[in-house]
Amino acid sequence: ELFGCNLGIKQMIVFVNQREYGTQVAQHLRNNGHTVGELYGGKGKFAMDAHQRDQVLSDFINKKTTRLVSTDVIGRGIDIPEVTHVISIEVPRGRDKKVDPEAYLQRVGRAGRMGRKGVAITLVADTGNFVQEVLDLGKHWGCTIEEVPAYEDKAKPEDIPEELWDEKFKVV
């Protein structure tokens, strides 16, 4: 659900930039009743080996899990037909800490593959340059990224006109 509205999500990938944050996001999703897999690259004592990554991906493909929290390790070359939604909780950044347009395109491309419809949502704080960075990504790729202002809870979510949600978020 987003703002209390069911978006018809079959399977969803949630992208984060760092494993530590991903673990927190995954736990939040589990606490809210979702089956969640976590897939991270990298090195170090918490790094996943190839077998672990293959198992997580297999569970997601076979729908044992319906939500996958991942760093950009899954951003390229993976086609999972049932992925209808991609959420980027953070804008992808390169080693130089600048926004990475290529990684962003790869992330949003995980939904709606091969002519299928999909939804990509990027969540950013309404402070600093975060919103402008996302709008600039659209300019970089020659497309329009529509800003959806933060929902002020002055009305109940069910009071949001259904046609607004159908127009913006319905997956056919």
Side-chain angles (χ1 to χ4, degrees), residues 26-91:
Q27 190 57 51
H28 177 78
L29 288 168
R30 285 186 192 100
N31 291 345
N32 284 279
H34 299 280
T35 56
V36 182
E38 297 177 63
L39 188 63
Y40 310 114
K43 297 178 172 71
K45 78 177 191 180
F46 297 111
M48 300 177 80
D49 63 36
H51 176 74
Q52 290 171 310
R53 287 192 301 270
D54 289 347
Q55 184 61 56
V56 169
L57 195 53
S58 175
D59 288 349
F60 189 63
I61 290 169
N62 294 312
K63 300 180 187 137
K64 290 181 182 176
T65 57
T66 59
R67 308 297 183 252
L68 180 63
V69 178
S70 180
T71 55
D72 287 324
V73 69
I74 194 174
R76 296 179 185 268
I78 301 293
D79 180 21
I80 303 169
E82 296 297 314
V83 173
T84 55
H85 291 69
V86 169
I87 309 284
S88 287
I89 293 189
E90 304 172 280
V91 176

Side-chain angles (χ1 to χ4, degrees), residues 73-120:
V73 69
I74 194 174
R76 296 179 185 268
I78 301 293
D79 180 21
I80 303 169
E82 296 297 314
V83 173
T84 55
H85 291 69
V86 169
I87 309 284
S88 287
I89 293 189
E90 304 172 280
V91 176
R93 297 184 182 279
R95 293 185 190 268
D96 61 1
K97 305 297 181 197
K98 292 182 181 177
V99 174
D100 184 343
E102 295 289 333
Y104 182 80
L105 182 65
Q106 293 299 323
R107 283 182 179 189
V108 301
R110 298 307 99 206
R113 306 271 302 154
M114 307 299 286
R116 294 182 296 272
K117 302 249 183 203
V119 175

Side-chain angles (χ1 to χ4, degrees), residues 146 162-170:
E146 186 176 346
E162 191 66 34
E163 59 273 6
L164 172 69
W165 294 105
D166 285 349
E167 176 186 320
K168 296 200 182 295
F169 301 115
K170 188 171 185 179

